[in-house]
Amino acid sequence: MNIKKCFKEFIVIFIFVFMVNHSVHAIEWEDEEVPINFKIEILPWEIVNNTIPKKTNFTIIDIETGLSFKVQRRAGSHHVDAQPLTKDDTQIMKEIYHNQWSWKRRAIIVLINNQMIAASMNGMPHGAGSLQNGFSGHFCIHFYGSLTHRLKNEDPSHKLMILKAAGKLDEYLGTVGPYELIHIFTIAINQGDRKLLSLTLSNPDHSDRFNKLAENITYFAVRDFSGQPLEDANGLMLVDVPVQVKIYKKREGSENKVIHFMIRRESLTDRWFIDQDAIHEDLK
């Protein structure tokens, strides 16, 4: 077996074991003997589109599990439409999705030409597929600036997963206001992403009780904001935002209600958090 190839694979595994078990930060590491740059980059779609032309094979590494599989770009003009390369690759991808195909977005690293690019994928076979891989269609991979094919807009869930893959979630959440934080909370609930959810809440180290509550919610839809304008929050440290929502719970069906997001910060220069105790009371 090629020693240099083994060394590269070892380094990739080491990096992602570290990322799964620690707070995710952007990583940059270079080795003098092995010509590979372990810097996770956020690259704009215009560059990625040329870096990964159609029929190109590359590797996907899932941030949460560290599992990797090979894919081929088949199509896509605003993002990559890809297929697992073989039946074994399809099985690994399905394992990442807990053996059940899903539209949920996942933070991934695309490994190609000794580059590591932050990206996001969904896990639902759809449309056409031509490889003999046991995958009935293709799936989508988004990069920074990618758009959906139908609406031609940036998918906010994919955007957050790209930031997560690059270790930039904390930095980004420090820039958002109360209303956008509520949208991010909604995405975290619907994606079942505990990491993202914990970053929106106060006291994230004590979120087990809230995680159990969130697991019972199959879909959380914001129907209307009826609070004060966002610009009025600039000089405040506590904002009460009443929101009309529709909540789907396991075995309980759907419910329309108004919940109050109590959003606070420690000082005018600190970032916003959703009060975990208050939202727990409204949702239970």
Side-chain angles (χ1 to χ4, degrees), residues 98-116:
H98 309 292
N99 294 314
Q100 189 171 23
W101 296 126
S102 169
W103 287 106
K104 290 182 178 180
R105 283 61 163 143
R106 293 189 69 92
I108 60 172
I109 298 299
V110 164
L111 179 60
I112 182 170
N113 298 333
N114 297 335
Q115 284 184 281
M116 302 177 77

Side-chain angles (χ1 to χ4, degrees), residues 66-236:
L67 293 173
S68 65
F69 61 101
K70 294 187 181 301
V71 304
Q72 183 179 97
R73 179 182 180 182
R74 300 297 301 179
S77 56
H78 300 291
H79 58 255
V80 167
D81 289 335
Q83 294 179 250
L85 201 58
T86 68
K87 290 182 179 180
D88 288 340
D89 293 308
T90 294
Q91 187 55 46
I92 294 171
M93 182 180 178
K94 195 167 187 178
E95 183 179 347
I96 289 170
Y97 277 94
H98 309 292
N99 294 314
Q100 189 171 23
W101 296 126
S102 169
W103 287 106
K104 290 182 178 180
R105 283 61 163 143
R106 293 189 69 92
I108 60 172
I109 298 299
V110 164
L111 179 60
I112 182 170
N113 298 333
N114 297 335
Q115 284 184 281
M116 302 177 77
I117 308 171
S120 171
M121 70 176 181
N122 62 43
M124 180 61 71
H126 62 280
S130 57
L131 299 181
Q132 301 302 309
N133 55 9
F135 190 89
S136 56
H138 63 265
F139 67 99
C140 302
I141 304 173
H142 282 236
F143 299 85
Y144 186 77
S146 288
L147 305 177
T148 61
H149 286 320
R150 186 169 63 89
L151 297 178
K152 304 294 188 298
N153 60 4
E154 185 178 37
D155 182 283
S157 301
H158 278 307
K159 176 182 176 180
L160 289 171
M161 292 302 101
I162 292 166
L163 291 168
K164 180 179 179 180
K168 299 290 187 180
L169 269 181
D170 284 309
E171 180 181 328
Y172 177 70
L173 287 172
T175 69
V176 305
Y179 282 19
E180 187 173 356
L181 187 63
I182 293 172
H183 283 299
I184 294 171
F185 170 88
T186 300
I187 290 171
I189 290 283
N190 291 332
Q191 296 294 318
D193 193 314
R194 287 191 174 190
K195 168 68 175 176
L196 180 59
L197 183 61
S198 70
L199 290 175
T200 69
L201 298 172
S202 62
N203 302 318
D205 294 333
H206 300 88
S207 58
D208 287 347
R209 180 182 63 154
F210 193 87
N211 284 333
K212 291 180 181 178
L213 177 66
E215 287 174 357
N216 190 45
I217 299 174
T218 57
Y219 190 69
F220 185 92
V222 171
R223 304 187 68 180
D224 181 52
F225 284 104
S226 55
Q228 54 193 316
L230 181 60
E231 59 268 21
D232 290 350
N234 289 338
L236 300 178

